[in-house]
Amino acid sequence: MQIETKSRIDQLTSPAGHPVTVLRFEGDISSTSRDAVIGAYQGLSKETVKVVLLDFTKVDYINSSGIALVIQMMMEAANMGQKVHAFGLSAHFQKVFTMVGITKYAHLFADQTAALAAL
Amino acid sequence: MQIETKSRIDQLTSPAGHPVTVLRFEGDISSTSRDAVIGAYQGLSKETVKVVLLDFTKVDYINSSGIALVIQMMMEAANMGQKVHAFGLSAHFQKVFTMVGITKYAHLFADQTAALAAL
Amino acid sequence: MQSNAVPVDTLYSEKHSIQSAKEQMDLMNSASASTVEVKLPSRMGYEKVAMTTAASVAKLMGFGEDRIEDLKTAVAEACINAIEHGNRLNDKLSVGVVLSTDEDSLEIKVIDDGIGLQKQPALPNIDRKMHGEEDTRGMGMFLIQALVDEAEWVVGTSGSSSYVRLLIRLHKQEIQ
Amino acid sequence: MQSNAVPVDTLYSEKHSIQSAKEQMDLMNSASASTVEVKLPSRMGYEKVAMTTAASVAKLMGFGEDRIEDLKTAVAEACINAIEHGNRLNDKLSVGVVLSTDEDSLEIKVIDDGIGLQKQPALPNIDRKMHGEEDTRGMGMFLIQALVDEAEWVVGTSGSSSYVRLLIRLHKQEIQ
Ligand SMILES: Nc1ncnc2c1ncn2[C@@H]1O[C@H](COP(=O)(O)OP(=O)(O)O)[C@@H](O)[C@H]1O
Ligand SMILES: Nc1ncnc2c1ncn2[C@@H]1O[C@H](COP(=O)(O)OP(=O)(O)O)[C@@H](O)[C@H]1O
C-alpha cells in the first residue's frame, strides 16, 4: 500500500568542471525507500564519485523514517570522503531538514542550476 | 466552513473585433456561489453584453449545486439573447459538463486564447 | 461518457434493522482490516473532507488520476445528499463514510440517518432545464451513477440509517 | 524554526479507563458537532490518508499553506508511531484520528491500542547520528513537537488506548 520510490542516476559536470553524480528520487521517501536511497548510493563507485547531489523535485511526501535513510546515506558517504548536497525540496521540507540538522552536513539548493553553479 | 467564491469581470475584444465579457471565478463552485455566479451575471448590462465567457481556470472544486447555478445563469442569458461559453475547465469537469448536457448550449474551450479566437 | 448499468432495482432492498450511521459503520468495519472510516458533521463543505480522504485511499491503491477525479465527484455528491437530504443539515447527526479496499476495487458506503431515497429521481434533462420546465438542480445521483462502476441506494428499515454504496474498479471490466 | 514549549510533563497523566481506540473515539465525539473522525488500518502508508484528511479539514478552517504543511508532517508522524509502536503493525487494530475544530484552533488526537509512550526519547542529535553514535531514526516526536503549537502524549491506564494530542492554532499567539 506504499508508493514505491524510484531512483535514477545522472552523471553531470558543473560549470566549474567538476563531475557531479545526481541521484534523482521519485515517489515517497519513507521506510520503504531503503533500496532507492541506500541501495542506489551503494551502487555508485567509491573511487570516482566525489559529490552526490540528491534531487527531491519529484518527491511529495517525506517522513522521518525516510529522512533517517538519507542521514544513513550521508553518513556512509562522509566515511568515504564524499560530499552530499540536495535540491528540489519544498520550503516545508527545507525547514524539516534544517530542524533535524541535516544542513550542518549538506547544502540545500533551490534547484539543479543553483546546485551545479555552487559546486 | 465553505470556501467563498470570488468573481471578477473583464471586458475584452476578440481578435475578430467582438466585445467579450469574461466572468472569472475563483474558489469553489457550489451551493454557496449564488452571488458569484447569478449575482455577478445579473450585474452585467443586458443591452451591451452579447457574449459571456466563464473562466474556470482558478476553480478546483465544482459540485452539482454549483453546476445548477451555472445552468440557471445560462438560462437567464439565453432568455436575453446572450451567448455563454466557458474555458479553463479540467478534463474531468469538461466531462462532467458534457454529461449533464451543458455542451448543447455552451462551448467549452481549453483556454482564453482558444475561446477568443473562436468568438 | 461511460455507460454504466444502474441497479436501481435495489433501491428498496431491505437490510437488518440497525439504529444509526455509527452502528452501521461498526457493523461494516468488523468485516475487513483494510477499511478506512470517516465520520463527518452534517454541514455543507465537509463533503470535501470525505472526497479528499477517498482520493487518498484510491491513490494508495494505485488508481489513475482520471478515475480518482471520477471518484471524487461521486463521493462529494453522495456526501452532499447525505448531509442535505438524509440528515437534513441536522448538526447532531453525522455522515459515515466507509471505504473498503480489496485487490482490484474500492467500495464506498456513504451512510446517513435519514429514511433513504423514496423514489428514483427522473434523469436530468438539459433542454427542460434551459426552458424552465424542471429544477436546475437534480444532477447529483445521475453523476454518481455515470462516474462509478456500481451505485446502489439502500433504504434502512424502521428508522435505521440508509446508505448509498459505490464501487469503483481498478481495472475496467470487459464489456460482455 | 519555531519555538514551542513541549509539555512532556503530561506524558504520564492519567485518564479514564476505556477499552479501545474505538471507544475512545466515541467518547470524544459526543462532545462536539464539528468533529471529523477517521479510522485507519494499522498498516504503513495509511498515515497518508489521515494526513490528507487533516489537511482538508485545516483548509476548510482557513489555515494557510505553510501551517497545513506543518500539520501534515505532524499528523503523519503521529500516525506512523501509532501504527508501528502503538499497534505494532497488528492488522486487527485500528488507529483512530479525531479532528476537533473550533473558531481558532484544530485539535487532533491520534489514538492507538498500545500501552503508550514509556519514556521520553532523547532529542535527536545530528552529530551523533553522523558519527554512528545513535540510531539514525528517532526524529518523529521531535518533529511533531517542533511543528505544532501543543503536543502531549497521554498513556492509557490498565491496558486502554493511548493517544497523542496535537493542537494547532489558526493565529499565532503573542509571545508572553
Ligand atoms: N441520501 C438521501 N436521502 C434521502 N433522499 C435522497 C438522498 N439522496 C438523494 N435523495 C433524493 O433524490 C433527489 C435527487 O438527488 P440528486 O440527484 O443528488 O439531486 P439534488 O440533490 O440536487 O436534488 C433529492 O432531491 C432527494 O429527494
Ligand atoms: N504511539 C506510541 N506508542 C508507544 N511508544 C511510542 C509511540 N510513539 C512513540 N513511541 C516511542 O517513542 C520512540 C521515539 O519515537 P519517534 O521520535 O517518533 O522516532 P521513531 O519512531 O523513529 O523511533 C519510539 O521509538 C517509541 O519507543
Side-chain angles (χ1 to χ4, degrees):
Chain A
M1 276 295 185
Q2 284 186 286
I3 288 164
E4 205 192 314
T5 320
K6 290 182 207 141
S7 58
R8 194 160 62 84
I9 289 153
D10 274 348
Q11 200 57 57
L12 303 181
T13 305
S14 75
H18 303 297
V20 175
T21 304
V22 185
L23 186 49
R24 304 192 196 278
F25 300 119
E26 194 174 333
D28 299 345
I29 301 289
S30 68
S31 56
T32 53
S33 311
R34 181 168 292 277
D35 286 352
V37 178
I38 309 291
Y41 165 75
Q42 289 176 344
L44 300 177
S45 158
K46 265 63 189 165
E47 286 75 40
T48 60
V49 171
K50 295 289 161 233
V51 179
V52 182
L53 197 49
L54 308 178
D55 177 0
F56 289 99
T57 312
K58 292 188 176 162
V59 173
D60 289 328
Y61 173 67
I62 308 179
N63 65 31
S64 68
S65 308
I67 296 174
L69 293 173
V70 172
I71 293 174
Q72 189 184 325
M73 195 215 91
M74 286 170 57
M75 182 180 74
E76 293 185 24
N79 291 341
M80 289 295 157
Q82 298 166 324
K83 293 256 170 238
V84 177
H85 302 296
F87 70 90
L89 287 163
S90 68
H92 173 69
F93 283 113
Q94 286 186 39
K95 180 170 78 175
V96 167
F97 274 46
T98 304
M99 281 172 169
V100 298
I102 286 184
T103 43
K104 257 183 100 166
Y105 293 88
H107 284 291
L108 308 182
F109 297 102
D111 52 31
Q112 180 171 307
T113 310
L116 288 179
L119 296 176
Chain B
M1 278 294 186
Q2 284 186 289
I3 287 165
E4 204 191 315
T5 321
K6 289 183 208 142
S7 59
R8 193 160 63 82
I9 290 154
D10 274 347
Q11 200 58 58
L12 304 180
T13 305
S14 75
H18 302 298
V20 176
T21 303
V22 185
L23 186 48
R24 305 192 197 277
F25 301 119
E26 193 174 333
D28 298 345
I29 301 288
S30 69
S31 56
T32 53
S33 312
R34 180 167 291 277
D35 286 352
V37 179
I38 309 290
Y41 165 75
Q42 288 176 346
L44 301 177
S45 158
K46 266 61 190 170
E47 288 74 42
T48 58
V49 171
K50 296 290 161 233
V51 179
V52 182
L53 197 50
L54 309 178
D55 176 1
F56 289 99
T57 313
K58 292 188 177 163
V59 174
D60 289 328
Y61 172 67
I62 309 179
N63 66 32
S64 69
S65 308
I67 297 175
L69 293 173
V70 173
I71 293 174
Q72 189 185 323
M73 195 216 91
M74 287 170 56
M75 182 181 76
E76 294 185 23
N79 290 341
M80 290 293 157
Q82 298 165 322
K83 295 257 170 239
V84 177
H85 302 298
F87 70 90
L89 288 162
S90 68
H92 173 69
F93 283 114
Q94 286 186 39
K95 180 171 80 175
V96 167
F97 274 47
T98 304
M99 280 173 169
V100 298
I102 286 184
T103 43
K104 258 185 98 167
Y105 293 88
H107 285 290
L108 308 182
F109 298 101
D111 53 31
Q112 181 171 305
T113 310
L116 288 179
L119 295 177
Chain C
M1 179 140 167
Q2 294 161 268
S3 63
N4 290 294
V6 179
V8 274
D9 43 80
T10 55
L11 229 49
Y12 298 95
S13 71
E14 301 265 315
K15 60 180 180 54
H16 296 304
S17 172
I18 47 173
Q19 297 312 306
S20 68
K22 201 191 101 20
E23 284 180 336
Q24 174 80 358
M25 286 174 71
D26 294 346
L27 214 81
M28 285 164 177
N29 186 45
S30 48
S32 160
S34 297
T35 297
V36 171
E37 292 182 13
V38 189
K39 209 151 96 184
L40 304 168
S42 297
R43 196 177 309 163
M44 283 300 182
Y46 277 94
E47 78 277 7
K48 287 191 285 183
V49 175
M51 173 179 95
T52 315
T53 309
S56 176
V57 171
K59 196 171 171 199
L60 218 48
M61 290 179 69
F63 277 95
E65 287 299 328
D66 286 13
R67 290 303 273 161
I68 292 179
E69 287 301 315
D70 291 347
L71 183 70
K72 280 168 71 177
T73 290
V75 170
E77 294 298 328
C79 288
I80 290 169
N81 283 349
I83 292 168
E84 187 182 357
H85 305 304
N87 290 349
R88 299 170 171 270
L89 300 160
N90 180 343
D91 243 5
K92 295 196 181 63
L93 302 175
S94 305
V95 171
V97 182
V98 179
L99 301 122
S100 311
T101 64
D102 70 21
E103 277 296 284
D104 46 36
S105 67
L106 171 58
E107 183 200 74
I108 302 176
K109 289 187 181 173
V110 177
I111 308 156
D112 61 54
D113 286 331
I115 57 169
L117 194 67
Q118 296 307 295
K119 70 181 207 317
Q120 201 203 340
L123 285 180
N125 180 309
I126 191 69
D127 299 322
R128 291 177 48 81
K129 286 189 198 302
M130 286 294 288
H131 294 102
E133 293 159 16
E134 74 176 35
D135 192 348
T136 51
R137 289 195 48 175
M139 295 173 290
M141 286 178 56
F142 165 75
L143 285 175
I144 292 170
Q145 292 169 340
L147 292 170
V148 298
D149 294 310
E150 288 179 23
E152 62 168 336
W153 278 261
V154 178
V155 173
T157 50
S158 57
S160 70
S161 57
S162 303
Y163 63 85
V164 51
R165 182 187 145 272
L166 313 177
L167 190 96
I168 186 157
R169 294 198 184 84
L170 205 43
H171 306 286
K172 275 259 156 287
Q173 284 190 321
E174 303 292 305
I175 292 138
Q176 310 189 334
Chain D
M1 180 139 169
Q2 295 163 267
S3 63
N4 289 292
V6 178
V8 272
D9 44 79
T10 56
L11 229 53
Y12 297 95
S13 71
E14 300 266 312
K15 60 181 178 50
H16 294 306
S17 171
I18 47 174
Q19 297 313 305
S20 68
K22 201 190 103 18
E23 283 179 334
Q24 175 79 358
M25 285 174 71
D26 295 348
L27 213 79
M28 285 165 178
N29 186 45
S30 48
S32 162
S34 296
T35 298
V36 171
E37 292 182 14
V38 189
K39 206 151 98 186
L40 304 168
S42 298
R43 198 177 307 162
M44 282 297 182
Y46 276 94
E47 78 278 7
K48 288 192 285 182
V49 175
M51 173 180 94
T52 315
T53 309
S56 176
V57 171
K59 196 172 171 197
L60 218 49
M61 290 179 70
F63 276 95
E65 288 297 330
D66 286 13
R67 290 302 274 161
I68 293 179
E69 288 301 317
D70 290 348
L71 184 70
K72 281 166 71 176
T73 291
V75 170
E77 294 297 328
C79 289
I80 290 170
N81 283 349
I83 292 168
E84 186 181 356
H85 304 302
N87 290 348
R88 298 171 173 269
L89 299 161
N90 180 344
D91 243 6
K92 294 194 182 65
L93 302 176
S94 304
V95 170
V97 182
V98 179
L99 301 124
S100 310
T101 64
D102 69 22
E103 278 297 285
D104 46 36
S105 67
L106 172 57
E107 184 201 73
I108 301 177
K109 289 188 181 172
V110 178
I111 308 154
D112 62 53
D113 286 331
I115 55 166
L117 193 66
Q118 296 307 295
K119 69 178 205 319
Q120 201 202 341
L123 286 179
N125 180 310
I126 191 70
D127 299 322
R128 291 176 48 81
K129 285 188 200 302
M130 285 294 288
H131 295 102
E133 293 159 15
E134 73 176 35
D135 193 346
T136 53
R137 288 195 49 176
M139 294 173 288
M141 286 178 55
F142 165 75
L143 285 175
I144 292 171
Q145 291 169 338
L147 292 170
V148 299
D149 294 309
E150 289 177 24
E152 60 170 335
W153 279 260
V154 178
V155 173
T157 48
S158 58
S160 68
S161 55
S162 302
Y163 62 85
V164 52
R165 180 188 146 272
L166 313 178
L167 190 95
I168 186 159
R169 294 199 184 84
L170 204 41
H171 307 285
K172 275 257 156 286
Q173 284 189 321
E174 302 294 306
I175 293 140
Q176 310 188 334

